[in-house]
Amino acid sequence: MSDDFEEMGPVDYLVVEFPGNRMTGEGFPLLVDLVDRGIIRILDLLFVRKDTDGTVAALELADLDGDGTLDLAVFQGVSSGLLGRDDLEEAASAVEPGNSAAVLVYENTWAAPLARALRRSGAQLAAGGRIPVQQLLAALDEVEGGSGQGVAA
């Protein structure tokens, strides 16, 4: 496993909420494109539903738009085993009752060569994070307005 780790790029996760359990599938071809182009590698893709009473259930891959074809067939069986029931419960805690979510764990394969080089030189990741788009836009609006405050302020 240590050799596999040495070759990997950074690994991230996303929890994408679908209000009212409405998944159109519009983004899935774009996700497939990222995989096909070698930008990411999907390690896990699971779906969870949070009922109005707070009950959490894992969802099976299904026909999202009702046209009779399995829109997510390309993702069927995508599971590294990294995600367990406790992870689904944690993901569901970020989701409003009555909604569903996709839980995606992926390797940033585009960054693997850089990550390998940094590891070989003894470098270690000291911090990481993600800036929500809304926060970034608000910070840019402030800069344009002359306040000079940054994103992390």
Side-chain angles (χ1 to χ4, degrees), residues 39-80:
I39 295 171
I40 66 168
R41 176 173 59 127
I42 298 174
L43 301 175
D44 276 298
L45 178 61
L46 301 173
F47 295 87
V48 63
R49 181 184 69 234
K50 187 173 187 178
D51 292 332
T52 54
D53 67 0
T55 304
V56 175
L59 296 174
E60 294 295 319
L61 296 178
D63 175 18
L64 296 178
D65 58 14
D67 67 359
T69 61
L70 185 62
D71 301 307
L72 301 179
V74 70
F75 300 118
Q76 197 144 19
V78 174
S79 177
S80 67

Side-chain angles (χ1 to χ4, degrees), residues 20-39:
N21 296 311
R22 289 183 307 272
M23 287 186 251
T24 65
E26 183 178 346
F28 292 116
L30 299 169
L31 185 59
V32 170
D33 181 58
L34 292 172
V35 172
D36 287 347
R37 291 190 293 141
I39 295 171

